[in-house]
């Protein structure tokens, strides 16, 4: 397969930031024109030139620097032709680097010509595959907040005071070769309003709930339909704290100036926890300086895998310490992960994670051995100091100042001490996973009940 010069030119003009955000990468602003990836902070994007530099790559790496086509090759393993073909998708925003300094960002324009009058793909995908409540789906269709594209994708429109301010495109067809682990298309239309997203207002909002995607938002709504009222549900289209702040100020300006409670409902993974960690460091306040309550509502965040709980208890008993210290440390360091990748803003990599070079493979850890080492060190520290203070422990042993880590550790430890945790074998990581699991559980219970009725009928004697 070959590509033309015109296709190559068109692909190279795709805005790198727009591409990365549209496929769900968490992009962090470093300065006015420089951004990095949350998971690769040495990969820096220059928005003036629409290029990147991956500083941790060796000088011999020919794609250490490059354009968006090169980025897809080095970051996602695309071939040159695959990258060019993918970037020719008209959904991506394109830039003229020579004019970028002079031109302001173009306003969002929604082109209804991409729509189909058919709604069958919406209903099939949302109700059957994603288990969204049928009444909610019909309500979204009736209010024109979700529409179907000519390619049978779901279009989630971003409402801003009665006008369309942007849109998410959610594919309904599986293609793991093109979309890898995600399996389906996921895009944000070009020039969609920055730090905004799909949103629903129910009554006069006294609470705001923040999600990573429209699917998670309507999944949470489905799970809580009967008791959810006076709330604003917002999609961050990723894990951007700036979007939380913009939605908060927009809500108090347009809906309820008394809004105080903001719930962070991002996924239970490394990227999702970056939002919580951000608001552990920075407050969210209105124009009068009154600080909002930012509340962790990450799904299943207080669930501990039962096999890990058994490991903590075994090692804690061996060294005569509280097993919940080990659980809280593991949670704060790597979100109870069982690979050597950290999941905390302070980049604490001490017991359950390791420093990883950019091209180095992530490895599974021996949680038992690592828990034993931590238990031993905590026991020694307690013997010497008569108590355990995580911040002092980190600084004394490893000369690390880690205030965000310490706050997370203390939060989780208090929850664990108050028995506000559950043990489970499998832990769904996002709201749609929970919704689908609940649907499957109900269906299984129904079939088992029907099967039991059939078995009982075999023993009914004729009159």
């Amino acid at each position: 397969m070959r590509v033309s010069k015109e296709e190559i030119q068109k692909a190279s003009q795709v805005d790198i930031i727009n591409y990365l955000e549209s496929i769900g990468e968490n992009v962090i602003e470093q300065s006015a024109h420089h951004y990095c990836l949350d998971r690769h902070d040495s990969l820096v994007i220059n928005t003036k030139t629409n290029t990147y530099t991956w500083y941790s790559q060796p000088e011999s790496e020919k794609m250490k620097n490059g354009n968006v086509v090169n980025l897809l090759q080095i970051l996602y393993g695309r071939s040159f032709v695959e990258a060019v073909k993918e970037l020719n998708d008209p959904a991506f925003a394109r830039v003229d680097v020579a004019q970028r300094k002079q031109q302001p960002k173009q306003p969002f324009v929604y082109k209804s010509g991409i729509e189909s009058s058919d709604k069958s793909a919406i209903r099939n995908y949302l109700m059957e595959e994603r288990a969204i409540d049928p009444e909610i789906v019909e309500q979204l269709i009736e209010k024109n907040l979700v529409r179907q594209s000519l390619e049978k994708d779901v279009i989630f429109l971003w409402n801003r005071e009665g006008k369309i301010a942007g849109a998410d495109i959610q594919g309904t067809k599986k293609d793991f070769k093109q979309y890898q682990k995600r399996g389906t298309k996921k895009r944000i239309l070009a020039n969609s309003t920055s730090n905004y997203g799909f949103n629903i207002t129910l009554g006069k909002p006294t609470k705001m709930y923040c999600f990573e995607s429209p699917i998670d938002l309507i999944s949470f709504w489905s799970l809580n339909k009967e008791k959810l009222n006076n709330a604003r549900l917002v999609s961050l289209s990723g894990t951007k704290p700036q979007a939380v702040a913009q939605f908060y100020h927009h809500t108090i300006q347009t809906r309820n100036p008394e809004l105080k409670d903001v719930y962070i409902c991002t996924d239970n993974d490394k990227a999702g926890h970056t939002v919580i960690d951000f608001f552990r460091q920075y407050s969210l306040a209105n124009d009068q300086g009154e600080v909002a309550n930012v509340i962790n509502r990450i799904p299943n965040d207080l669930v501990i895998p039962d096999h890990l709980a058994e490991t903590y208890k075994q090692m804690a008993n061996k060294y005569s310490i509280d097993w919940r210290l080990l659980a809280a440390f593991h949670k704060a360091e790597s979100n109870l992960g069982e690979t050597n990748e950290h999941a905390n803003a302070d980049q604490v990599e001490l017991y359950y994670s390791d420093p990883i070079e950019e091209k180095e493979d992530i490895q599974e850890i021996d949680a038992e051995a690592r828990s034993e080492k931590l238990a031993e060190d905590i026991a020694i520290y307690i013997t010497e100091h008569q108590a355990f203070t995580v911040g002092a422990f980190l600084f004394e042993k490893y000369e690390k100042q880690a205030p965000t880590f310490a706050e997370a550790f203390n939060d989780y430890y208090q929850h664990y001490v108050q028995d506000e945790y559950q043990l489970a074998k499998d832990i769904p990581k996002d709201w749609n996973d929970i919704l689908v699991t609940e649907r499957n559980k109900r269906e299984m219970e129904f079939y088992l009940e029907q099967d039991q009725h059939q078995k009982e009928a075999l023993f009914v004697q004729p009159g």
Side-chain angles (χ1 to χ4, degrees):
M1 186 187 301
R2 303 182 66 180
V3 290
S4 67
K5 290 183 179 179
E6 290 76 16
E7 287 177 305
I8 296 171
Q9 176 68 15
K10 185 177 179 182
S12 66
Q13 292 173 338
V14 168
D15 185 314
I16 292 180
I17 299 298
N18 175 260
Y19 172 81
L20 291 170
E21 291 187 334
S22 73
I23 63 170
E25 289 281 7
N26 187 28
V27 182
I28 299 171
E29 185 174 5
Q30 293 184 320
S31 64
H33 303 290
H34 293 89
Y35 294 74
C36 70
L37 288 185
D38 172 61
R39 65 190 184 95
H40 292 301
D41 57 7
S42 65
L43 196 164
V44 178
I45 299 110
N46 184 328
T47 57
K48 277 190 175 182
T49 60
N50 200 40
T51 58
Y52 73 89
T53 299
W54 201 337
Y55 287 99
S56 66
Q57 294 293 330
E59 293 300 326
S60 59
E61 172 57 64
K62 64 179 181 179
M63 293 182 192
K64 179 183 178 75
N65 309 282
N67 64 13
V68 65
V69 177
N70 306 134
L71 182 64
L72 267 66
Q73 291 176 270
I74 191 172
L75 189 57
Y76 302 114
R78 306 280 201 274
S79 70
F80 178 77
V81 171
E82 288 172 338
V84 170
K85 290 292 186 184
E86 181 174 343
L87 293 168
N88 269 258
D89 188 325
F92 295 126
R94 299 174 197 281
V95 297
D96 184 332
V97 173
Q99 298 180 9
R100 181 164 240 181
K101 292 181 181 179
Q102 289 76 30
Q103 289 185 342
K105 181 179 177 179
Q106 296 299 307
F108 175 76
V109 177
Y110 180 69
K111 300 176 181 178
S112 59
I114 67 173
E115 290 181 16
S116 166
S117 60
D118 186 19
K119 302 293 188 292
S120 59
I122 295 175
R123 293 186 174 96
N124 182 66
Y125 179 74
L126 294 182
M127 295 181 193
E128 300 302 323
E129 185 166 343
R130 293 293 197 160
I132 305 301
D133 183 277
E135 290 185 1
I136 289 176
V137 174
E138 295 302 333
Q139 186 176 341
L140 292 172
I141 292 173
E142 181 182 348
K143 293 186 175 181
N144 281 319
L145 291 173
V146 297
R147 306 182 190 183
Q148 184 171 314
S149 77
L150 295 172
E151 298 180 341
K152 298 185 177 181
D153 300 325
V154 181
I155 308 171
F156 290 92
L157 298 180
W158 303 0
N159 174 55
R160 189 179 177 99
E161 307 314 304
K163 296 181 179 179
I164 302 174
D168 291 91
I169 304 293
Q170 173 61 61
T172 63
K173 294 175 284 188
K174 298 284 186 182
D175 187 340
F176 289 100
K177 181 178 180 181
Q178 182 172 1
Y179 303 113
Q180 299 194 0
K181 186 171 70 172
R182 177 176 288 112
T184 56
K185 180 191 298 184
K186 190 172 183 180
R187 298 280 187 269
I188 297 173
L189 289 186
N191 298 319
S192 291
T193 303
S194 299
N195 296 321
Y196 203 68
F198 181 74
N199 61 95
I200 298 290
T201 300
L202 305 172
K204 183 179 181 179
T206 58
K207 301 174 288 293
M208 188 174 86
Y209 297 83
C210 307
F211 304 87
E212 288 190 27
S213 71
I215 293 294
D216 285 329
L217 185 159
I218 57 177
S219 297
F220 181 86
W221 188 8
S222 298
L223 287 162
N224 299 277
K225 187 176 70 169
E226 301 304 325
K227 56 186 177 183
L228 199 57
N229 53 64
N230 294 327
R232 193 175 192 200
L233 314 180
V234 305
S235 168
L236 310 177
S237 295
T239 53
K240 301 184 288 291
Q242 299 92 333
V244 176
Q246 176 149 305
F247 264 121
Y248 168 71
H249 287 288
H250 183 260
T251 304
I252 62 177
Q253 290 163 6
T254 63
R255 286 162 173 78
N256 183 8
E258 302 301 319
L259 174 69
K260 291 290 190 298
D261 295 334
V262 176
Y263 293 86
I264 306 300
C265 309
T266 49
D267 294 355
N268 192 359
D269 58 17
K270 180 179 180 179
H273 276 269
T274 62
V275 185
I276 291 293
D277 281 347
F278 180 89
F279 288 108
R280 285 193 172 106
Q281 300 174 69
Y282 305 102
S283 61
L284 185 63
N286 62 20
D287 293 340
Q288 288 72 46
E290 298 169 332
V291 177
N293 303 313
V294 179
I295 303 161
N296 181 347
R297 191 73 187 276
I298 289 177
N300 290 328
D301 200 35
L302 294 178
V303 177
I304 302 174
D306 46 16
H307 69 282
L308 285 179
E310 188 59 35
T311 294
Y312 303 144
K313 291 174 182 178
Q314 180 183 348
M315 295 306 156
N317 287 338
K318 184 174 181 179
Y319 290 93
S320 300
I321 65 169
D322 184 351
W323 69 271
R324 293 165 295 196
L325 292 171
L326 305 181
F329 204 103
H330 193 178
K331 181 69 177 178
E333 183 173 347
S334 66
N335 193 35
L336 304 183
E338 296 188 67
T339 66
N340 62 337
E341 186 179 23
H342 80 266
N344 66 89
D346 290 324
Q347 298 187 350
V348 172
E349 299 166 318
L350 298 175
Y351 291 96
Y352 296 99
S353 60
D354 305 311
I356 302 172
E357 297 297 330
E358 297 292 356
K359 279 198 164 183
E360 188 177 344
D361 290 337
I362 296 171
Q363 305 288 335
E364 289 188 4
I365 63 171
D366 183 341
E368 183 174 317
R370 294 185 180 230
S371 295
E372 179 168 13
K373 176 58 178 169
L374 176 58
E376 180 182 13
D377 287 354
I378 289 177
I380 293 171
Y381 184 89
I382 291 175
T383 299
E384 294 174 350
H385 299 81
Q386 311 307 313
F388 181 76
T389 305
V390 67
F393 172 79
L394 291 173
F395 187 76
E396 181 177 310
K397 292 186 69 66
Y398 303 100
E399 297 183 351
K400 281 184 176 288
Q401 290 279 9
T404 304
F405 179 97
E407 184 174 342
F409 171 91
N410 289 326
D411 284 349
Y412 288 115
Y413 182 66
Q414 289 303 315
H415 284 299
Y416 297 160
V417 166
Q418 295 168 17
D419 291 334
E420 295 172 347
Y421 66 88
Q422 293 178 309
L423 302 181
K425 181 177 181 181
D426 299 309
I427 306 177
K429 297 293 186 181
D430 64 45
W431 293 106
N432 189 247
D433 285 346
I434 293 174
L435 180 62
V436 171
T437 299
E438 288 291 320
R439 189 267 310 270
N440 294 343
K441 180 181 177 182
R442 288 194 302 270
E443 290 180 349
M444 179 61 70
E445 290 173 347
F446 173 79
Y447 290 131
L448 289 174
E449 183 178 350
Q450 293 297 107
D451 185 55
Q452 183 62 30
H453 288 330
Q454 291 174 1
K455 289 179 180 178
E456 291 173 355
L458 293 175
F459 296 95
V460 175
Q461 299 298 317

